[in-house]
Amino acid sequence: MSSKMPNIKLKIDPRDLQIRTFTVEKLLEPLIIQVTTLVNCPQNPSSKRKGRSKRARVLLASVEEATLNLLDKGEKIAKEATVFKEELHAALADVQKESEALKVSAEAFTSDPCYLPKRQAVVQAARSLLTTVTRLLILADMVDVTYLLEHLTVFQRTFESLRNVSSKSDLQKTYQKFQKDLENLDYLAYKRQQ
């Protein structure tokens, strides 16, 4: 029996990704709410100059921190990934680029929050960042699913070999491997659920 992982091919185009999982949708919900709040602002904000917006700066800092955390975890995933490695690195680069664009437009917006073109620019930058983050999360999810499917295939092979043993010693060895594969699959499924 070989312990080599099988090569599983998914029929997915990583350039055309859509949100199809509840987990990705839930992870993005806070960002969607923040972008929607920016979009639903009055079309003609007050013409009085109210000074710099402190709340926007706090929001920008939290988005920057969250993006850096996401990029850090994404780098770890990309380093360990056996599939979609190039796509993950490209998605990480896109998130980094869009994060910088949001930072620039948000800093301009916080200096003059009543100016509608600056608000529109920051909304567009936030939407672009949200799109690239979504793509990265979906790719990471695809890597996770592929890894789980590979281990499921190994488990299925061990199960088939368990059914076809011919001696007691083979049965013991195969059963031990079966238990180990089952524990591994159970752990991976638990980890994914978390």
Side-chain angles (χ1 to χ4, degrees):
M1 284 181 290
S2 172
S3 63
K4 183 182 173 198
M5 289 291 185
N7 189 12
I8 295 177
K9 296 286 183 191
L10 296 177
K11 296 175 185 171
I12 297 172
D13 181 4
R15 294 175 302 267
D16 180 35
L17 301 176
Q18 298 174 357
I19 298 176
R20 292 190 179 148
T21 63
F22 184 70
T23 305
V24 172
E25 190 175 322
K26 278 295 175 195
L27 287 170
L28 293 174
E29 192 173 11
L31 285 173
I32 292 169
I33 290 169
Q34 290 173 355
V35 171
T36 305
T37 303
L38 284 172
V39 172
N40 293 336
C41 71
Q43 285 298 317
N44 297 314
S46 171
S47 60
K48 295 180 182 175
R49 220 155 180 33
K50 296 179 183 174
R52 295 173 179 246
S53 174
K54 292 179 184 172
R55 186 165 187 255
R57 287 174 188 241
V58 172
L59 178 62
L60 176 61
S62 69
V63 169
E64 284 181 44
E65 181 182 336
T67 305
L68 288 175
N69 189 17
L70 178 76
L71 287 169
D72 183 48
K73 289 181 181 179
E75 285 292 335
K76 290 176 185 172
I77 291 169
K79 197 178 287 187
E80 296 172 3
T82 56
V83 293
F84 301 121
K85 214 172 189 55
E86 297 84 25
E87 290 87 353
L88 280 168
H89 285 293
L92 285 165
D94 288 345
V95 169
Q96 178 69 41
K97 184 181 90 177
E98 294 301 333
S99 175
E100 290 299 319
L102 177 62
K103 182 179 178 182
V104 169
S105 63
E107 286 173 352
F109 168 70
T110 57
S111 68
D112 188 10
C114 298
Y115 188 56
L116 192 57
K118 288 182 181 181
R119 181 179 294 272
Q120 290 169 337
V122 79
V123 167
Q124 183 57 45
R127 284 180 178 163
S128 296
L129 178 59
L130 188 58
T131 300
T132 57
V133 166
T134 303
R135 183 169 175 259
L136 178 61
L137 288 174
I138 292 171
L139 279 168
D141 189 56
M142 289 169 49
V143 168
D144 194 37
V145 167
T146 303
Y147 191 61
L148 197 58
L149 287 172
E150 288 174 347
H151 281 78
L152 179 63
T153 303
V154 168
F155 173 76
Q156 288 172 328
R157 286 183 185 163
T158 305
F159 180 71
E160 284 300 316
S161 64
L162 184 63
R163 292 174 55 189
N164 300 323
V165 293
S166 58
S167 69
K168 189 174 181 178
S169 64
D170 284 346
L171 178 65
Q172 287 176 333
K173 288 177 188 174
T174 307
Y175 186 72
Q176 286 175 348
K177 179 162 176 22
F178 176 79
Q179 281 183 313
K180 183 180 174 187
D181 290 346
L182 181 60
E183 287 172 7
N184 191 20
L185 190 61
D186 185 48
Y187 172 73
L188 291 172
Y190 169 77
K191 211 169 113 177
R192 174 157 174 77
Q193 186 179 10
Q194 295 301 316

